[in-house]
Amino acid sequence: MSPAPLLIVTAVVEVGAGAGFLLAPGAVFDLLLGEGHPAPDATFVGRVAGAALLALGVAGGLGRNDNSSPAQRGLLTGLLVYNGAVGALLVYAALGLNKAGVALWPAVALHAVLAAGCAAGLRSEPLSPVRESRS
């Protein structure tokens, strides 16, 4: 199965989240952590995270049709690490820091599904041979 649908979903989700963090970080913090008025430094870090999420979304969208290439496998591996880490951090926010907004557990579930999709894509896609370019 092609990872293209997973990468399209990733692109849409991450571009949307990135735009949210860039444009209205307080609203995103409220939805995820129940913190409606984050400190200015947290707002800044949220915007930096938004820029990173935009980059992930763009990479996912552009890499969707590069089937079985080393670059696509690298993208899927990076997204697997990202989704696993973010899911774990959100669980920690809820259980360890007692922070939870209305979107926290849905976000945990979404990251778990995306991580599982990345893992499945890595297992099912054989690596195609790298073509040497001649200059």
Side-chain angles (χ1 to χ4, degrees):
M1 178 177 151
S2 168
L6 170 71
L7 292 174
I8 291 168
V9 169
T10 295
V12 170
V13 168
E14 302 310 345
V15 166
F21 271 111
L22 278 171
L23 299 173
V28 178
F29 282 124
D30 191 34
L31 287 169
L32 288 175
L33 303 175
E35 293 288 331
H37 301 289
D41 52 347
T43 298
F44 173 76
V45 172
R47 287 192 166 118
V48 171
L53 292 171
L54 280 174
L56 284 175
V58 168
L62 293 175
R64 71 188 181 278
N65 293 324
D66 198 13
N67 292 334
S68 302
S69 73
Q72 189 181 67
R73 292 181 64 77
L75 177 60
L76 286 170
T77 301
L79 288 170
L80 172 61
V81 170
Y82 163 75
N83 283 300
V86 169
L89 287 167
L90 291 173
V91 168
Y92 171 72
L95 303 179
L97 302 176
N98 294 321
K99 300 284 184 186
V102 297
L104 186 123
W105 290 111
V108 169
L110 176 64
H111 284 287
V113 168
L114 292 174
C118 289
L122 287 167
R123 277 195 315 266
S124 68
E125 290 292 318
L127 187 59
S128 65
V130 177
R131 295 183 186 126
E132 291 184 29
S133 62
R134 298 181 191 233
S135 302

